[in-house]
Amino acid sequence: MMLNISQRKTVKHWATGLFAWLVALILFFPILWMIMTSFKTELQAISQPPLLFWETTFDNYILIQERSDYLKYAFNSLYTSVGGTLLALIIAVPSAYAMAFFPGKYTKDILLWMLSTKMLPAVGVLIPIYMITQMGGLLDSIYPLILIFALMNLPIIMWMLFTYFKEIPKEILEAARMDGATTRDELRHIVMPLSWGGIASAGLLSLILCWNEAFWSIQLTASDAGTLAALIASYSSPEGLFWAKVSAASTMACAPIIVFGWFCQKQLVQGLTFGAVK
Amino acid sequence: MNSQSNISTQVQHKWLNVVNLLKAPSIILLLVWMIVPLSMTVYYSFVEYNLLYPGPKLFIGLENYSYFSTDSAFFPALFNTLVLVGSVLTITVVLGLALALLVNQPFFGRGVVRVLLISPFFIMPTVNALIWKNMMMDPNYGIFSVIADFFNVVPINFLEDLPLASIILMVSWQWTPFALLIFMTSLQSQDTEQKEAAQLDGAGFWSIFRFLTLPHLARPIAIVVMIQTIFHLSLFAEIFVTTGGGPGFASTNLAWLIYRQAFLAFDVGVASAGGVFAIILANIVAFFLIRAVGKNLTE
């Protein structure tokens, strides 16, 4: 059978679409399965063959809140992520602005050095940090976590902001200055409006990284300041098969950030490409 | 004339101060964040210090180092660390590229497909590890064993028999979407006219990919490699939740080995020596990476 060009295009279009959907569903399947399992009873969760249709139950969610106080951990996650992100932004925005608009001789070296501090493995400094925190009586408190989260993400935030600020055309600023704009006017009417996108995307990435951070949360917190990541890690001990409950807890731990990520997808990507995309 | 130029240098000086004042906090904070713990780690690595045996911290030279490096787990851990980073990088870049090219084609429901594809990136590592450990890889009830049963094959006990590969699978599943996100955006900015011209000249898919798309993606690839290396060199949560470094040392990386030494054996001295090894390794990798990639980033 011969197909003309437009028919061939349609076939190709449908074939690509089917294939892409198949791949997407396979890669999304673990998440889907987690959500499905969270609405099953423990017996249904491990039934063989796996159940695709069942009577949904919300018991797991109620139990998780009752037994391990999900909300407390959720708020700890929220405070530490937002706190760490805000702190990092407060430090990084002026610095990155100064480096992008008034670069010195060593600005690029400093930025590369900053990135290289990210290469220091956290585990290499775990003991000192643990001891300093202990000496300050701040184990299992959210404050050291906020500070650590801020410092941990600072280099990446600096990079994202620097590349973003650098893209702002200097000619606009010069033109404004010629028209008699003061530095304050410049900042308020030109720099800030043009850089909201970059600040937002750096903040978004930082929020996601903080929310999902597991190493420091597991090591430095227990029942008081524990974050959701630490709560989930505590379910890893094999005390039996509690897949449905673990799934419910996991779903609740990830849902806020996944939904958040979906909505901010475009914004997030803008900064992540580090000016690689023009 | 003279006085005018004086004023302008004065203004410049004032400006320079403000600029330096703005730059300083980030630099100083990171410097402190790096130097204080680092020097403590180096100090502990030269003394005898075990939390179980309190006493004076005696200087013992390189003993902690030799103890750590002659541990039978040292070389497997070093090897595993490199295999982990290398494999995850290869898988995520190749798969991310393929997926980006795929979703760059027009088809129905592309927006939803994209959302589904990038979702794993937002999952927290501990949840990621638990999903795979329980619901996917469990030898009795996991989805993989169900599939194996369907084809009448003996199910693989992933975490027992292929621990490192299992962890590579989990991490790659999480980070492929990251590569995809970045490649996808870069592909959208590719010059379509150039591509169409090449097509008219009879260039096939592969030569367009090789000579137009790949060079266009050089910088995004550099970014993906750089950021992922930073995160995977000290991979911890996935091992903590699933294999605990085992069986044996099969899935122990440097980070896990140090953690075990410090928090399970309480030997701060030896663990600190391990920390120094980890830092040296990271610096070697960083040196090559920044030389290869960093230039690409600052230009």
Side-chain angles (χ1 to χ4, degrees), chain A residues 2-278:
Chain A
M2 290 289 280
L3 295 169
N4 64 34
I5 289 180
S6 93
Q7 275 171 326
R8 259 171 47 195
K9 261 198 167 155
T10 324
V11 170
K12 201 186 146 210
H13 180 94
W14 281 90
T16 322
L18 274 177
F19 183 64
W21 270 95
L22 189 70
V23 175
L25 287 176
I26 290 174
L27 283 180
F28 189 73
F29 178 78
I31 301 175
L32 182 70
W33 196 242
M34 168 184 82
I35 298 170
M36 284 166 76
T37 306
S38 74
F39 291 108
K40 293 177 178 175
T41 64
E42 294 299 348
L43 265 180
Q44 287 166 339
I46 55 167
S47 99
Q48 293 285 355
L51 293 176
L52 292 176
F53 303 98
W54 72 99
E55 234 176 283
T56 53
T57 168
F58 291 90
D59 291 354
N60 300 314
Y61 286 91
I62 298 164
L63 252 161
I64 290 294
Q65 170 55 24
E66 273 175 6
R67 274 209 202 145
S68 52
D69 202 357
Y70 162 83
L71 281 179
K72 186 182 78 185
Y73 290 92
F75 274 109
N76 283 337
S77 275
L78 189 69
Y79 294 147
T80 48
S81 319
V82 174
T85 300
L86 283 182
L87 185 60
L89 283 177
I90 289 169
I91 302 164
V93 170
S95 287
Y97 168 79
M99 285 185 190
F101 284 92
F102 308 98
K105 208 168 147 194
Y106 301 109
T107 297
K108 275 180 182 166
D109 296 315
I110 290 173
L111 278 165
L112 278 179
W113 163 75
M114 285 185 168
L115 210 55
S116 76
T117 64
K118 275 295 296 179
M119 299 257 178
L120 293 185
V123 76
V125 294
L126 168 62
I127 294 159
I129 299 287
Y130 189 89
M131 287 180 160
I132 293 172
T133 319
Q134 197 176 30
M135 277 187 267
L138 287 168
L139 279 180
D140 202 10
S141 147
I142 61 168
Y143 300 107
L145 269 195
I146 290 179
L147 184 66
I148 289 173
F149 284 1
L151 291 169
M152 178 183 88
N153 290 326
L154 194 58
I156 290 184
I157 292 184
M158 283 292 297
W159 265 95
M160 290 175 75
L161 290 176
F162 173 78
T163 43
Y164 209 91
F165 284 139
K166 230 178 50 180
E167 307 271 291
I168 296 176
K170 300 234 163 45
E171 293 80 19
I172 301 184
L173 292 182
E174 271 158 30
R177 228 169 287 160
M178 299 284 255
D179 291 341
T182 62
T183 312
R184 223 180 108 219
D185 292 337
E186 264 178 40
L187 282 178
R188 260 186 58 191
H189 297 297
I190 299 169
V191 178
M192 287 315 271
L194 281 176
S195 33
W196 271 124
I199 296 175
S201 68
L204 287 175
L205 181 70
S206 165
L207 273 179
I208 293 169
L209 290 177
C210 291
W211 185 275
N212 291 342
E213 202 283 335
F215 182 76
W216 293 109
S217 327
I218 291 174
Q219 305 303 344
L220 298 180
T221 69
S223 55
D224 281 342
T227 63
L228 286 172
L231 173 72
I232 300 296
S234 73
Y235 282 105
S236 64
S237 47
E239 293 158 6
L241 294 168
F242 293 118
W243 291 9
K245 285 179 201 74
V246 172
S247 297
S250 303
T251 305
M252 282 201 289
C254 293
I257 211 74
I258 292 187
V259 174
F260 183 74
W262 284 348
F263 278 109
C264 308
Q265 205 197 128
K266 280 218 176 88
Q267 199 50 256
L268 178 70
V269 169
Q270 265 191 14
L272 262 184
T273 47
F274 291 88
V277 180
K278 277 162 198 155

Side-chain angles (χ1 to χ4, degrees), chain A residues 12-14 16-21 23-31 33-34 37 46-50 91-92 94-95 97-99 102-104 107-108 110 112-132 135 147-148 151-152 154-156 158-159 163 166 183 205 208-209 211-216 218-219 228-230 232-233 235-238 241 243 246-247 250 253-254 257-258 261-262 265 268-269 272-278, chain B residues 15 19 22-27 29-31 33-34 36-38 40-41 44 49 51 99 102-103 105-127 130-136 138 140-143 145-146 149 173-176 178 181-182 184-186 189 219-220 223 226-227 229-231 233-234 236-237 240-241 254-256 258-259 262-263 267-268 271-272 275-276 278-279 282-283 285-286 289-290 294-295 297-299:
Chain A
K12 201 186 146 210
H13 180 94
W14 281 90
T16 322
L18 274 177
F19 183 64
W21 270 95
V23 175
L25 287 176
I26 290 174
L27 283 180
F28 189 73
F29 178 78
I31 301 175
W33 196 242
M34 168 184 82
T37 306
I46 55 167
S47 99
Q48 293 285 355
I91 302 164
S95 287
Y97 168 79
M99 285 185 190
F102 308 98
T107 297
K108 275 180 182 166
I110 290 173
L112 278 179
W113 163 75
M114 285 185 168
L115 210 55
S116 76
T117 64
K118 275 295 296 179
M119 299 257 178
L120 293 185
V123 76
V125 294
L126 168 62
I127 294 159
I129 299 287
Y130 189 89
M131 287 180 160
I132 293 172
M135 277 187 267
L147 184 66
I148 289 173
L151 291 169
M152 178 183 88
L154 194 58
I156 290 184
M158 283 292 297
W159 265 95
T163 43
K166 230 178 50 180
T183 312
L205 181 70
I208 293 169
L209 290 177
W211 185 275
N212 291 342
E213 202 283 335
F215 182 76
W216 293 109
I218 291 174
Q219 305 303 344
L228 286 172
I232 300 296
Y235 282 105
S236 64
S237 47
L241 294 168
W243 291 9
V246 172
S247 297
S250 303
C254 293
I257 211 74
I258 292 187
W262 284 348
Q265 205 197 128
L268 178 70
V269 169
L272 262 184
T273 47
F274 291 88
V277 180
K278 277 162 198 155
Chain B
W15 253 115
V19 166
L22 290 178
K23 287 180 188 172
S26 65
I27 299 173
L29 271 171
L30 275 178
L31 209 60
W33 167 240
M34 191 183 83
V36 173
L38 195 63
M40 281 171 82
T41 297
Y44 290 144
Y49 187 11
L51 295 175
L99 288 175
L102 181 64
V103 296
Q105 314 284 322
F107 58 85
F108 51 93
R110 189 161 67 158
V112 182
V113 164
R114 277 185 193 161
V115 164
L116 293 181
L117 282 176
I118 61 167
S119 298
F121 181 57
F122 303 125
I123 297 279
M124 53 179 75
T126 44
V127 168
L130 275 182
I131 297 179
W132 285 92
K133 177 190 173 188
N134 291 335
M135 288 176 284
M136 294 289 133
D138 188 277
N140 297 315
Y141 306 106
I143 295 292
S145 81
V146 172
D149 281 343
W173 177 71
Q174 171 139 50
W175 284 85
T176 300
F178 173 76
L181 254 176
I182 290 185
M184 207 164 72
T185 322
S186 326
S189 74
R219 218 171 108 111
I223 290 161
M226 181 92 162
I227 300 220
T229 308
I230 288 173
F231 279 90
L233 263 181
S234 48
F236 177 81
F240 181 82
V241 173
L254 262 187
W256 183 259
I258 298 164
Y259 169 76
F263 283 74
D267 199 326
V268 177
S272 297
V276 174
I279 289 166
N283 273 304
V285 174
L289 255 186
I290 286 186
K295 263 196 191 140
L297 283 179
T298 44
E299 265 149 25

Side-chain angles (χ1 to χ4, degrees), chain B residues 161-213:
Chain B
D161 298 334
L162 300 167
L164 195 63
S166 303
I167 287 172
I168 292 171
L169 174 65
M170 292 171 199
V171 180
S172 304
W173 177 71
Q174 171 139 50
W175 284 85
T176 300
F178 173 76
L180 168 66
L181 254 176
I182 290 185
F183 295 154
M184 207 164 72
T185 322
S186 326
L187 280 181
Q188 280 160 7
S189 74
Q190 195 183 4
D191 191 351
T192 45
E193 278 176 24
Q194 206 181 20
K195 241 169 78 179
E196 275 158 19
Q199 259 164 352
L200 282 180
D201 287 344
F205 172 80
W206 282 112
S207 50
I208 290 181
F209 177 74
R210 169 75 187 75
F211 295 108
L212 292 179
T213 310

